[in-house]
């Protein structure tokens, strides 16, 4: 496990603990997503935060102005602490760790569903219901379009891959033919 992963895990645990005390665990998740989006998807903000010649206080002032009113005090304090310590590179890992801690505590599982086309809400709900029964957890679905699948779905929950895609089935079929030919 990398040092960044360990550090992000520590910050995520501390932030989750504060969020539980304040009763805002799900809101903090959404706020962390916003922070990651701002810091990693906005090229100007990212360049500004990573610029070595800009003082920490200037960086913090800009972040406060950008995030004030959009995130809780707990998230803002965490962002400020990470910027002060030069750890802006771990925000994505922090979000991932927070989601895992939150999911474990609340009995929520996160599924990344790969499909050949964008799933509508009813289809996502159907996948969530099916995998909720399978895993015994409430499942949240994130849909990713992967045109290489041809059809069907690939579902990733934690470290487990459920491959019901047409390309996956063809690969398994080809492998079974090759195995039979070797015998």
């Amino acid at each position: 496990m990398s040092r960044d992963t360990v550090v992000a895990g520590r910050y995520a645990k501390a932030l989750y603990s504060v969020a539980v005390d304040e009763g805002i665990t799900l809101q903090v998740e959404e706020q962390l997503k916003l922070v990651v989006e701002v810091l990693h998807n906005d090229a100007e903000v990212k360049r500004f935060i990573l610029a070595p010649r800009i003082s920490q206080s200037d960086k913090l002032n800009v972040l406060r102005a950008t995030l004030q009113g959009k995130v809780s005090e707990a998230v803002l304090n965490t962002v400020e602490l990470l910027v002060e310590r030069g750890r802006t590179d771990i925000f994505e890992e922090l979000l991932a760790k927070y989601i895992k801690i939150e999911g474990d505590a609340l009995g929520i599982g996160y599924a990344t569903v790969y499909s050949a086309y964008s799933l509508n809400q009813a289809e996502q709900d159907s996948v969530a219901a099916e995998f909720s029964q399978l895993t015994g957890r409430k499942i949240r679905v994130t849909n990713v379009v992967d045109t290489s699948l041809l059809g069907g779905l690939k579902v990733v929950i934690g470290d487990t891959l459920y491959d019901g895609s047409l390309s996956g089935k063809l690969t398994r079929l080809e492998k079974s033919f090759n195995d039979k030919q070797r015998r």
Side-chain angles (χ1 to χ4, degrees):
M1 197 177 301
S2 77
R3 183 173 174 350
D4 287 348
T5 301
V6 172
V7 171
R10 288 181 185 149
Y11 280 99
K13 285 178 190 173
L15 182 58
Y16 183 76
S17 177
V18 171
V20 167
D21 292 345
E22 295 180 10
I24 57 170
T25 54
L26 295 173
Q27 293 92 327
V28 167
E29 176 189 340
E30 293 306 314
Q31 293 168 7
L32 281 175
K33 287 178 183 175
L34 173 70
V35 169
V36 168
E37 186 177 309
V38 167
L39 293 178
H40 290 279
N41 294 341
D42 188 328
E44 287 183 36
V45 173
K46 188 174 186 176
R47 235 184 349 260
F48 179 80
I49 295 299
L50 295 175
R53 293 185 180 188
I54 297 174
S55 72
Q56 295 289 38
S57 63
D58 287 343
K59 291 177 185 180
L60 291 172
N61 289 336
V62 168
L63 280 173
R64 274 189 212 104
T66 304
L67 298 173
Q68 194 71 41
K70 296 178 184 173
V71 299
S72 65
E73 200 63 34
V75 172
L76 190 58
N77 289 341
T78 303
V79 169
E80 289 177 356
L81 189 61
L82 289 172
V83 170
E84 287 171 0
R85 295 186 176 173
R87 299 309 312 252
T88 56
D89 57 330
I90 68 167
F91 279 108
E92 289 181 61
E93 187 72 30
L94 171 68
L95 173 61
K97 292 292 186 180
Y98 183 90
I99 288 172
K100 174 144 180 31
I101 292 167
E102 175 190 46
D104 290 346
L106 300 177
I108 298 172
Y110 295 88
T112 303
V113 179
Y114 298 89
S115 59
Y117 62 90
S118 182
L119 300 178
N120 63 36
Q121 192 59 49
E123 292 167 325
Q124 289 183 32
D125 292 345
S126 175
V127 170
E130 181 138 349
F131 282 93
S132 288
Q133 283 184 329
L134 181 68
T135 62
R137 306 181 90 175
K138 182 179 181 332
I139 297 294
R140 285 186 179 171
V141 171
T142 301
N143 183 215
V144 176
V145 175
D146 180 355
T147 54
S148 70
L149 293 180
L150 305 175
L153 301 173
K154 277 195 323 190
V155 179
V156 178
I157 301 174
D159 295 337
T160 306
L161 169 66
Y162 302 91
D163 190 351
S165 67
L166 186 55
S167 60
K169 289 177 183 177
L170 290 172
T171 301
R172 288 189 296 277
L173 183 61
E174 179 183 23
K175 185 177 183 304
S176 74
F177 284 147
N178 289 338
D179 289 346
K180 287 180 182 177
Q181 287 179 346
R182 289 184 196 141
R183 291 184 201 167

